[in-house]
Amino acid sequence: MMIRRTLTGVGTGALTLALAAFVTAAPQAAAPATKAKAAAKGAAAAPPAAASALPGYTEADINAALQAAYAKYKDLQEGKNADYIPALAKVDSNVYGIALVTTDGKVYTTGDIKSEVSIQSISKVFTMALVMEESGVDAIAGNMGVDATGQVFNSIVAVEQYKGAEMNAMVNPGAITATSMVKGASRDEIWKKILATYSDFAGRSLSVNQEVFKSEADTNQRNQAISMLMYAYGHIKDNPLQATDIYTEQCAVSVNAKDLATMAATLANGGKNPVTGKQVIKSDNVPEILAVMATAGLYDDSGKWLFTTGLPGKSGVGGGILAVSPGKFGIAVISPPLDAAGNSVKAQKAIADISNALGGNPLAPKAR
Ligand code: GLN
């Protein structure tokens, strides 16, 4: 695995080195250039600190924060799996995995890191990002809007209130509309582009959990109705049921905590995947993406979430939540039991603890 690591304090500008290393490997020795510079200054060569994208925090600090949150909430029994999509009710409620990926491409994990859940609403961020990439940020702002609804994610009242405007792409009507805006001559072309975008964000080829896709496709009449309303109000231009079907498939993409944390870290890193080094989207669009997440990423509990963490985040009813500390890290937790708003109970608590322990809140002048 190639990791791009930036070493600061080595003269004019930062020296970026591509180092082949596993993230779990022992800290790298200081680069020769650093030693030469120190020697030239006549300074005693300081022992190399474990490099971290988080100023003031070592790798041990980061691992300790993850492990503390894991242990603290492991046995918490609050919440319950989503069951309005039958396949989600069957997912093991005890799956609990945590991952944090820094903007210098280091991956920290703890807990159940192999198990996958369906991405569900977290997909909305990345389809919106694709639409912004293809059509500009104003295409989103000018269509479904970028305002909070204060309603549940599949609210029809929210559609009716402003005839499908003055909402956002993080709730179902806006998200299905965003899916309808992805360019492509056929369903297949549109779908392949969506899946390729998610895979670039995650840094590996993702695939669909067909059981979840089928289960939701069989029971998504409410989303079909929502798409028809968005069509009636002119926000979806054509083929609303195809948009709903593609949206349903995108929600069934299967991910583990590391995938989600890497997707978040790509946003934290200005649209460039810090593990693969690929620029996935224009960095110019990232502030608008994060703003929509901050406004509505945890549905009608987005205000509470921002109050607690200061982080743009996004949840899904599969049990995942990801959050972005701009310039620092992406973090994700999966744990299927949800609260009444549809947000994973453990994921909210664990992310808040870890981010606050590592100075992740971009609204706070210092760590808390
Ligand atoms: N696929 C789900 C739905 O449309 C996604 C909802 C969610 O994760 N909040 O109902």
Side-chain angles (χ1 to χ4, degrees):
M1 186 191 326
M2 295 298 286
I3 299 171
R4 293 184 67 78
R5 176 174 301 172
T6 301
L7 301 175
T8 52
V10 288
T12 52
L15 171 63
T16 302
L17 297 176
L19 296 176
F22 286 102
V23 294
T24 49
Q28 299 294 313
T34 311
K35 283 183 179 161
K37 187 89 181 175
K41 277 184 169 172
S52 156
L54 306 182
Y57 299 95
T58 63
E59 296 187 340
D61 294 334
I62 299 172
N63 280 319
L66 262 64
Q67 268 144 31
Y70 180 78
K72 187 167 169 194
Y73 301 116
K74 189 173 182 314
D75 298 321
L76 184 70
Q77 293 295 331
E78 276 172 43
K80 98 186 211 330
N81 283 28
D83 56 8
Y84 75 101
I85 300 170
L88 298 187
K90 296 196 288 179
V91 174
D92 180 359
S93 303
N94 294 316
V95 168
Y96 179 33
I98 302 179
L100 183 149
V101 178
T102 57
T103 51
D104 59 357
K106 292 187 156 195
V107 181
Y108 302 83
T109 61
T110 192
D112 191 350
I113 207 66
K114 293 239 156 63
S115 293
E116 299 185 1
V117 295
S118 52
I119 191 169
Q120 296 298 336
S121 272
I122 300 170
S123 68
K124 292 165 176 169
V125 172
F126 302 96
T127 296
M128 178 182 75
L130 173 57
V131 173
M132 288 178 169
E133 190 73 8
E134 290 187 330
S135 305
V137 295
D138 292 341
I140 291 288
N143 191 350
M144 73 291 288
V146 291
D147 280 309
T149 65
Q151 304 284 339
V152 294
F153 61 80
N154 58 2
S155 170
I156 287 172
V157 171
V159 178
E160 287 301 299
Q161 195 173 10
Y162 300 110
K163 297 187 164 38
E166 305 276 329
M167 56 160 68
N168 61 77
M170 303 294 104
V171 291
N172 290 13
I176 298 168
T177 301
T179 300
S180 80
M181 295 166 75
V182 175
K183 293 182 178 158
S186 63
R187 186 199 187 285
D188 192 48
E189 194 183 315
I190 295 165
W191 169 248
K192 285 198 171 122
K193 205 192 289 182
I194 290 173
L195 189 61
T197 301
Y198 295 7
S199 297
D200 281 347
F201 270 101
R204 73 170 180 116
S205 283
L206 299 176
S207 57
V208 170
N209 180 326
Q210 293 296 336
E211 188 196 348
V212 171
F213 178 32
K214 182 168 186 333
S215 177
E216 185 166 0
D218 287 346
T219 54
N220 69 352
Q221 290 77 18
R222 185 181 179 96
N223 282 341
Q224 293 178 38
I226 285 172
S227 75
M228 279 297 186
L229 275 176
M230 293 302 275
Y231 182 46
Y233 288 132
H235 299 285
I236 294 179
K237 301 294 177 219
D238 191 23
N239 217 340
L241 295 182
Q242 174 176 289
T244 308
D245 191 49
I246 298 174
Y247 163 82
T248 305
E249 189 163 7
Q250 80 181 38
C251 287
V253 167
S254 194
V255 285
N256 59 37
K258 183 183 156 201
D259 295 328
L260 292 176
T262 309
M263 295 171 98
T266 300
L267 292 172
N269 195 38
K272 182 176 182 176
N273 185 316
V275 179
T276 65
K278 179 167 183 172
Q279 189 75 44
V280 181
I281 54 162
K282 288 190 269 293
S283 61
D284 268 4
N285 294 349
V286 170
E288 283 82 358
I289 294 167
L290 297 182
V292 176
M293 291 167 71
T295 304
L298 274 75
Y299 321 115
D300 44 325
D301 272 354
S302 297
K304 282 184 207 140
W305 171 256
L306 199 63
F307 190 80
T308 310
T309 65
L311 299 179
K314 187 73 201 84
S315 65
V317 292
I321 299 183
L322 58 71
V324 178
S325 180
K328 293 184 174 172
F329 60 81
I331 183 170
V333 175
I334 57 174
S335 167
L338 310 178
D339 67 13
N343 298 316
S344 166
V345 175
K346 279 184 192 157
Q348 289 177 82
K349 290 179 188 293
I351 293 174
D353 278 17
I354 294 166
S355 173
N356 287 335
L358 298 174
N361 185 337
L363 309 181
K366 56 181 167 49
R368 24 191 38 214

